[in-house]
Amino acid sequence: MAHEYPNPILYQNEDETITLIDVPQSICSAQVKTGSQCTHVLFSTPPLQAPYPSIEPRSEKAKLKAEQRLPSEDVRHQPFPHELLAQGLAEIRAERHRSFCYQRSFRPSDPHSSVKSRQGDRSPKAPEDYFGEPELLVSALYGSSSRKRAHGFLGPFRVPSSALSDRYGFPHGTNLTHTVITNPFAQQVHLHVADSGAQYTVPPLSTFLLSKVGHQEATYFSEAASKIFPEPSTSAAPGQFDLIILDPPWENRSVRRSRKYQTRRNVKEDPLSVLQSMLGKHIAPGALVACWITNKANVRATALETFQMWGVSLIEEWVWLKTTVHGEPICVLDGIMRRPYETLLVGKSVDAAVEDFQVPDSVNEVKRRVIVGVPDLHSRKPCLKALFEPMMQDASNYRALEIFARHLTAEWWSWGDEVLKYNWDGHWTEPAELDSGASDA
């Protein structure tokens, strides 16, 4: 029986304000051009069968004590109207009587498929070295700033046509860094790193820059974008983008515990400060700019201040509500210690030349959307290409950029120091039959 490559959107209401999305499949679908079928399946972790054990204070006295340890603005701040989250879940449950995710593929040796952790076998988290992934963090590859300076910035580099019939080789992982690399072809190409033996699959018509987000890198990025986009499009000037998505490394408790990536606090150059000063010139008139934030009030304020610096006005607020396979939130909606959702602020570039656009007068006029999905590996977010593409002025001809990306996306640009993480071939497997009603392998 032929394998079917499902739509990552399992449910969506008519006005597109409530969506159920499959996280791994959203990334799979993003590896090919829109309308094409991905031929491989992304390895995942077993989906949550039940909510996490509660870590919330049990008594009013303990709750008050916990609140006193939090910044006062966080105690007063409700990141997203909880009634909208409850309504969204209720609507999906009424329309869908099966699992909230597709069947997942995970390795039989996955320790989390049989071994209980401190919080039971309910957690989707797995060790970073579980997959045997080669180290491709920029800081690990270089080790010292002098080596980076010796390497310098190269390119842009266009993968040659010989890569269509055979993989294209690089002697060392450093050859993939600090160089804007473009796959100019309408099909995937494979890059092989000789010293590690690793192979990475680059989606069609995609471009990436594997580097940190620093001042030198930003200057190079701007030069490369102008070279690759030397002419204006119908909606963007040279070097500009119609859609920019950011997932900044905000500081939070979960990240501090996991130590999986560097945050704004523990890097020499604050990447958000770098972007505040340079990204505005790459935002096309009328472009959409989206930024993932945590549930802390000061993070939201920083993101909105950054929007203002770029001439971007908040027009929508999306939330990714994380659930079990049965549609239960992974923890209580109004928790003090943990909340089951992450927020995406969506803004639009304010330009007098853009017709029919009015800035919302207040936060109450901001459109809100609820995206429901069963979480996967730590920090693996759903790819939202399928949701943003219909919002483009011309869905068949637009320029998109994802910053702090952890995977590549067909026809998009991606920039970050883990940009090839989930494009390593070890994260993928041959397809098996997927049952949209299944929740486990």
Side-chain angles (χ1 to χ4, degrees), residues 57-349:
R58 295 185 179 182
S59 67
E60 287 299 319
K61 182 178 179 181
K63 180 179 179 180
L64 180 61
K65 189 174 181 179
E67 288 179 342
Q68 290 174 343
R69 290 196 296 265
L70 297 174
S72 58
E73 62 269 21
D74 286 346
V75 176
R76 297 190 302 268
H77 176 56
Q78 180 176 312
F80 198 89
H82 293 160
E83 61 271 17
L84 293 184
L85 299 177
Q87 291 170 10
L89 272 181
E91 180 174 325
I92 295 174
R93 288 193 189 115
E95 296 292 332
R96 183 175 177 83
H97 306 289
R98 294 177 289 171
S99 167
F100 270 44
C101 68
Y102 291 120
Q103 177 180 328
R104 291 184 175 178
S105 294
F106 52 93
R107 301 188 182 197
S109 59
D110 178 0
H112 287 68
S113 64
S114 59
V115 180
K116 291 188 178 183
S117 66
R118 287 184 301 169
Q119 299 191 8
D121 60 346
R122 296 166 172 164
S123 172
K125 297 180 182 179
E128 283 295 301
D129 58 356
Y130 153 55
F131 292 105
E133 181 181 344
E135 187 72 84
L136 203 56
L137 273 171
V138 174
S139 57
L141 286 173
Y142 282 98
S144 68
S145 58
S146 60
R147 188 173 180 183
K148 172 188 166 183
R149 285 194 297 270
H151 178 78
F153 294 94
L154 302 174
F157 174 75
R158 293 167 61 93
V159 177
S161 58
S162 59
L164 295 175
S165 57
D166 191 14
R167 61 190 185 184
Y168 186 84
F170 291 88
H172 192 274
T174 52
N175 299 120
L176 293 173
T177 69
H178 297 90
T179 302
V180 167
I181 298 177
T182 294
N183 173 11
F185 306 108
Q187 64 188 73
Q188 295 175 335
V189 297
H190 304 282
L191 307 181
H192 179 260
V193 180
D195 65 347
S196 67
Q199 182 166 290
Y200 300 87
T201 298
V202 181
L205 304 175
S206 64
T207 298
F208 69 89
L209 173 57
L210 174 59
S211 80
K212 69 173 187 177
V213 178
H215 288 290
Q216 286 183 310
E217 291 80 3
T219 300
Y220 169 66
F221 174 90
S222 296
E223 294 173 353
S226 297
K227 288 179 180 178
I228 293 180
F229 294 141
E231 301 295 332
S233 68
T234 55
S235 54
Q240 288 188 335
F241 296 87
D242 304 293
L243 170 65
I244 299 178
I245 301 175
L246 305 98
D247 186 11
W250 305 109
E251 178 83 4
N252 61 41
R253 284 194 299 268
S254 173
V255 170
R256 286 197 300 270
R257 286 194 301 267
S258 68
R259 299 180 181 179
K260 293 186 186 298
Y261 56 83
Q262 292 183 314
T263 62
R264 293 180 62 205
R265 180 180 295 182
N266 55 18
V267 293
K268 292 181 179 180
E269 288 183 293
D270 178 6
L272 192 59
S273 296
V274 172
L275 294 172
Q276 286 172 342
S277 63
M278 61 76 63
L279 194 61
K281 61 186 175 184
H282 293 288
I283 301 174
L288 295 181
V289 179
C291 183
W292 287 100
I293 61 171
T294 69
N295 293 317
K296 295 181 69 66
N298 66 335
V299 168
R300 181 186 179 90
T302 299
L304 292 177
E305 290 170 5
T306 303
F307 274 16
Q308 188 175 17
M309 293 179 186
W310 294 333
V312 170
S313 177
L314 180 68
I315 60 167
E316 297 196 11
E317 188 172 356
W318 300 9
V319 70
W320 171 29
L321 176 59
K322 305 172 188 180
T323 72
T324 69
V325 293
H326 309 296
E328 307 164 278
I330 63 172
C331 60
V332 294
L333 295 177
D334 58 352
I336 297 175
M337 306 304 295
R338 172 193 285 158
R339 286 183 174 140
Y341 53 86
E342 296 185 52
T343 301
L344 183 73
L345 302 179
V346 181
K348 190 166 187 175
S349 175

Side-chain angles (χ1 to χ4, degrees), residues 384-441:
L384 301 179
K385 182 180 183 181
L387 301 185
F388 274 113
E389 197 157 74
M391 301 173 67
M392 295 294 97
Q393 182 177 328
D394 182 354
S396 64
N397 183 26
Y398 69 97
R399 302 170 182 173
L401 164 66
E402 185 173 8
I403 306 178
F404 308 110
R406 304 184 96 197
H407 65 81
L408 305 181
T409 298
E411 305 168 291
W412 287 20
W413 281 49
S414 304
W415 179 16
D417 65 358
E418 290 189 283
V419 77
L420 289 177
K421 182 176 179 64
Y422 294 127
N423 286 86
W424 172 55
D425 282 5
H427 280 295
W428 297 82
T429 185
E430 295 292 329
E433 286 300 320
L434 290 184
D435 176 4
S436 62
S439 63
D440 215 333

